[in-house]
Amino acid sequence: SQTIHQWPATLVQPVGSPLSLECTVEGTSNPNLYWYRQAAGRGLQLLFYSVGIGQISSEVPQNLSASRPQDRQFILSSKKLLLSDSGFYLCAWSVIQHTEAFFGQGTRLTVV
Amino acid sequence: GQQVMQIPQYQHVQEGEDFTTYCNSSTTLSNIQWYKQRPGGHPVFLIQLVKSGEVKKQKRLTFQFGEAKKNSSLHITATQTTDVGTYFCAGLTSGTYKYIFGTGTRLKVLA
């Protein structure tokens, strides 16, 4: 069966520090991968999505970047965190376009 | 860009009352999905609607997709405390891989 792993679960980082969040999917090949951010009590904002290795589409200009170094690995990074980067970051995958998305457990990031 | 709005933003109901959330897209959708997120958890897929005017039921939940494929609704009959959470719609546009989520409706059920 397919599973998605996202870590860490919680993270407290100082302003200006770098960030690296990792997401891996098991049990499937060539998944579509997504990074979402959810501010407290708010909706899900699509940040990046990828339909293949090395292919990244950015939805919102910001100081975050994403990479897909392997088929089932999706990484969210920042060189210097801002206070406004705080939030709940969710990785998700789908088999093909227009099928259900499966979400990871999320990373709760607090920038202090 | 494409926007998906949901109303209401919050809803408090007494256990046993009905609940409805509405989802409206600024563009025509190829299909729409609904997710439920429990407090502190991650979104979990509920259902997908594809056809214009489609209606699907899951026990006490009824999902509708509008004729113009720009709006949708989720209705819960006789709410229970287990229904607590935030309900999101997610619209997909033909030719894209992007799930654009609605703003969500947070449901609280009072026992």
Side-chain angles (χ1 to χ4, degrees), chain A residues 34-36 44-49 59-60, chain B residues 98-100:
Chain A
Y34 307 84
W35 278 111
Y36 287 88
L44 282 75
Q45 179 187 32
L46 179 61
L47 302 176
F48 302 95
Y49 69 96
E59 288 298 298
V60 182
Chain B
K98 301 185 294 185
Y99 297 80
I100 302 299

Side-chain angles (χ1 to χ4, degrees), chain A residues 16 22 32 37 46 49 54 81 83 96 107 110:
Chain A
E22 188 164 344
N32 294 336
R37 177 171 60 200
L46 179 61
Y49 69 96
L81 284 169
L83 286 174
I96 58 174
T107 296
T110 304

Side-chain angles (χ1 to χ4, degrees), chain A residues 5-13 18-24 35-37 47 64-69 73-78 81 85 87-91 106-110:
Chain A
H5 301 280
Q6 187 181 342
W7 66 93
T10 59
L11 191 60
V12 180
Q13 291 285 97
L19 173 73
S20 181
L21 301 180
E22 188 164 344
C23 171
T24 59
W35 278 111
Y36 287 88
R37 177 171 60 200
L47 302 176
L64 298 172
S65 62
S67 62
R68 185 172 178 172
Q73 184 184 28
F74 206 22
I75 298 172
L76 182 69
S77 303
S78 173
L81 284 169
D85 291 324
F88 191 41
Y89 288 82
L90 290 152
C91 180
T107 296
R108 202 162 300 278
L109 171 67
T110 304

Side-chain angles (χ1 to χ4, degrees), chain A residues 1-3 25-31 71-72 93-95:
Chain A
S1 63
Q2 301 91 355
T3 55
V25 180
E26 295 178 358
T28 189
S29 297
N30 197 30
D71 180 41
R72 291 170 290 177
W93 72 274
S94 66
V95 175

